[in-house]
Amino acid sequence: MPPGGTLRKGTGAVTARFRAEQAAGPFAEAPALVNPHSFSPRYDLDRVRGVFSRTGHPLRGEAVRGNVLVSPDVEGGVAGGWVFLAMRGADVGPAALVFGRTNPVMVQGAGTAGIPIVAGVDTAFFEAVRTGTWLRIDPAAKMVEVLEE
Amino acid sequence: MRLTAEESHLLDGGQGEVLAQLMREQLTVGEFFGAERFVPVTNAHFTGDPEVLGTEGVAYLERLAATGLRVTVPTTRNSQAVDFEHAVELAQHPDLLTAERRVRQMLATLGVATLNTCIGYQSVYQPHLGEHVAWGDTGTVAYANSVLGARTNYESGTAGIAAGLTGRTPEYGFHLDAVRRANVRVRIRAALDDVADWGAVGAIVGERCRGYWNVPVFELSHGLPHQDELKHLGASLASFGSSAMYHVVGVTPEAPDLATAVGGRDLVDDFEVTDQDIEAVFARDLAPRDVDVDVVVFTGPQLSFFELKRIAEALDGRTVSDGVRLLLTTNSMIRRALEDQGLLQVISAAGGTVIEGTCWYLMDPAAQREQFGWTRLVTNSAKLVNIIQAHGYAPVLRRTEACLQAALSGKVPAP
C-alpha cells in the first residue's frame, strides 16, 4: 500500500471541511481511526505489527494500517521519529496523521516516511469525526474533508 | 522559506541528490512550522541505534554512509542499546550486538562520534547562550535550552543526522525568542533535596501542562539546584510532558527574574508545588513496601561523575543484598574517570555494575525481566518510572539514599 493509503480520490461527496493550520506530505483518502488520547508512536504502538499495544489503551489491538490516525495531541520523545519509517517498511503504517497539536518528532518522522500530516485542525473536527469516517487529507490545500458514507 | 544561494544550490542537487533530499526534508519541517529561513548550527546530536532504527532505519543509514558524505559540524550520538562488556550477563540478544557494530561503522563513516551519551552537556560539549545547535534526545534538548541558554528543537529520527550533514536547521520553535518565553508559572514550595525530588517536580508539571510548546518557569523557595538536579528535572518534564524548555528563575540565562522569563506571554497556568505534592509522587508505588527488591537502577539520564562518586562512597565496604541486582549507567569517559579514581572498583566490590554507553531502559528491559524474573524495581529516576511500566515492571521512585538502602537491604523502603 502506498503511504497515501487506500486511494479512492474523486469518490464520495464532501459533507464537511476543516482547515488545518499546518500540513505536509501527499494527498490521501482513508477511513479515520480516532485516538482520544495524546499519541506517542513509541509508547502506543507495536511498530512491527502496526497495532496499538499500550496497556489499557482504548484502541489496544487496533491496526493503524491504511487508516488516517486522528489524535488531539502528541507526547513522548525523539525515538518516535524513526517509528513511521519502520512501519512503512513493514507495510503496517498509517495512511495519514491528523493532530490538534503536534511537535517536531511527528513531522520529522512522517516527512521521512512520506506520510501526510496535518495539525492545528479546528476542535469541531475532533468532536465530529468517528472511527470509520472517510477522510480526505489535502496537505497542499491545508484541508481535511469529511466524505459521505 | 527564504534560502541563501548556498542553500538553493544544495536543494537543487548541486552537491548530490542525497543532500538535496535531506534539505527537502528539513525544508518540509521548516515550512510546516512557519520557519522563515534556515539557521546555521555549530553542533548536532543524533539519536539512533538498532533498537529504535528498526530494519528500515538501518537501511536508511546504510544508504547515507554509502554516499561518502560526512558531517559538516561536530556531531555526537546519543545513548544506545548495547554495552558489549556486559551484554551476555544482561541477556542482550546477539543480533542486537551484530546490528550495533554495523551501525557504529556506518556512523563512523559519516563522521559521527559514537560517544553514546545522553549527558554530553556534562562531559563533551556545552553550547553557550544563544548558540544554535540541533540536538536529538529530549533530555539534552531540555538542558541546552533551559540551563545553557542554547537553542534547539527536538531533532528526531533522520533530522539530527540531516542537520549534521547540512550544517543547518530550520529556524522555528525554540530557536526563536517568542517561543522560549514562559507560559506556565510554577511556585515551588518544597525542599527538593535529591535528584528524585526534581524528577517528581517534572512528573507533576509535565502531566499537568503536557505539550511541546508549553514552557514552565519555576520560582524556588529553597536555594538553587545543581547540574544533576536540573538534568533530572528536564528529563522528567520531557518524559511526562514532552517539554523542550523550562526556566528556573536565577538559573536559566534568560530568566534573571519572573517578568523577563515570561516576557509578556500569556500564562495558561499558575500553581504551587508543595512538599505534599512531592510526597504524593513518591507514594505512587507500584510495588508494596518491605517486599523483596529485584533490581535497583540508576539511569535515565546517565550518571555524572559526581553522582557516581557519591554512590561509590556510600557503598564503600558494604555489599549489595543477595538476590538484588544494582545497575548504574554512564558514558565511557566518565566510567574511565571512575576507574582512574578507584571508584569503579569500589562499586564493583560492593556488587554493583556500571554500564557504559547506554541508558538501561534502551537495553531491552523486557527481555531481562523474562530472563531473570525481575519485576520490582527501585530507582531515583522519575523518567525511568514513567517508561519502564510499559516493559512489565513495577517501579518504585525513591531518593538516592533510599535506593541504596534498597540495594543493601533487599527490601523496598519507605519514601
Side-chain angles (χ1 to χ4, degrees), chain A residues 22 102-105 107-108, chain B residues 1 26 29-39 130-133 141 145 149-155 169-182 211-215 242-245 247 254 265:
Chain A
Q22 300 159 308
T102 193
N103 67 15
V105 175
V107 185
Q108 291 157 353
Chain B
M1 286 171 64
Q26 291 188 301
V29 174
E31 289 182 337
F32 187 95
F33 287 112
E36 295 184 357
R37 60 180 184 174
F38 283 102
V39 62
E131 185 172 345
H132 294 276
V133 298
V141 170
N145 283 322
R151 298 184 171 219
T152 180
N153 289 302
Y154 286 176
E155 298 280 7
T169 194
E171 190 185 44
Y172 69 93
F174 291 94
H175 292 283
L176 302 172
D177 289 342
V179 178
R180 298 173 67 83
R181 292 173 186 142
Y212 184 75
W213 308 101
N214 284 331
V215 179
S242 282
S243 304
M245 182 171 180
H247 294 266
E254 293 148 275
R265 189 175 177 187

Side-chain angles (χ1 to χ4, degrees), chain B residues 326-337:
Chain B
L326 172 62
L327 303 173
L328 312 95
T329 70
T330 190
N331 62 34
S332 59
M333 295 80 76
I334 290 173
R335 192 171 188 272
R336 175 62 190 271

Side-chain angles (χ1 to χ4, degrees), chain B residues 126-407:
Chain B
Q126 293 188 324
H128 56 67
L129 174 63
E131 185 172 345
H132 294 276
V133 298
W135 283 8
D137 179 60
T138 52
T140 66
V141 170
Y143 199 93
N145 283 322
S146 314
V147 183
L148 304 176
R151 298 184 171 219
T152 180
N153 289 302
Y154 286 176
E155 298 280 7
S156 74
T158 62
I161 194 81
L165 290 165
T166 66
R168 49 184 40 83
T169 194
E171 190 185 44
Y172 69 93
F174 291 94
H175 292 283
L176 302 172
D177 289 342
V179 178
R180 298 173 67 83
R181 292 173 186 142
N183 69 340
V184 173
R185 182 184 182 193
V186 184
R187 286 164 283 125
I188 301 292
R189 301 288 180 263
L192 307 174
D193 296 326
D194 188 83
V195 294
D197 294 297
W198 287 88
V201 171
I204 293 165
V205 178
E207 288 176 339
R208 176 162 170 161
C209 307
R210 181 176 284 128
Y212 184 75
W213 308 101
N214 284 331
V215 179
V217 53
F218 296 97
E219 296 173 282
L220 307 180
S221 58
H222 293 71
L224 298 178
H226 60 65
Q227 211 177 65
D228 292 314
E229 292 170 335
L230 293 164
K231 174 173 76 173
H232 274 266
L233 171 62
S236 179
L237 264 175
S239 180
F240 284 91
S242 282
S243 304
M245 182 171 180
Y246 61 86
H247 294 266
V248 175
V249 173
V251 173
T252 302
E254 293 148 275
D257 51 55
L258 176 68
T260 307
V262 173
R265 189 175 177 187
D266 291 337
L267 292 181
V268 297
D269 205 350
D270 181 345
F271 58 97
E272 283 188 356
V273 172
T274 65
D275 285 315
Q276 290 71 29
D277 297 324
I278 299 294
E279 292 309 321
V281 176
F282 284 104
R284 295 178 188 179
D285 294 353
L286 291 180
R289 294 178 194 165
D290 293 325
V291 299
D292 292 341
V293 174
D294 296 320
V295 59
V296 176
V297 186
F298 293 96
T299 193
Q302 290 176 339
L303 276 70
S304 69
F305 175 80
F306 289 112
E307 285 181 289
L308 285 161
K309 183 173 187 288
R310 175 185 170 194
I311 289 170
E313 289 168 351
L315 289 174
D316 195 4
R318 308 169 83 176
T319 307
V320 170
S321 178
D322 287 345
V324 178
R325 196 68 200 265
L326 172 62
L327 303 173
L328 312 95
T329 70
T330 190
N331 62 34
S332 59
M333 295 80 76
I334 290 173
R335 192 171 188 272
R336 175 62 190 271
L338 209 62
E339 187 173 17
D340 286 347
Q341 298 299 310
L343 298 171
L344 181 65
Q345 297 84 330
V346 171
I347 294 173
S348 299
T353 302
V354 180
I355 304 164
E356 74 172 44
T358 180
C359 244
W360 177 73
Y361 69 88
L362 300 171
M363 304 176 74
D364 199 354
Q368 293 178 46
R369 178 178 51 75
E370 291 171 12
Q371 175 80 15
F372 305 121
W374 293 344
T375 302
R376 291 179 289 263
L377 179 150
V378 178
T379 182
N380 66 354
S381 165
K383 172 179 177 174
L384 181 63
V385 167
N386 191 35
I387 291 172
I388 208 62
Q389 296 169 52
H391 298 271
Y393 286 79
V396 171
L397 179 67
R398 290 292 181 270
R399 296 178 178 92
T400 305
E401 295 299 331
C403 290
L404 292 170
Q405 182 190 337

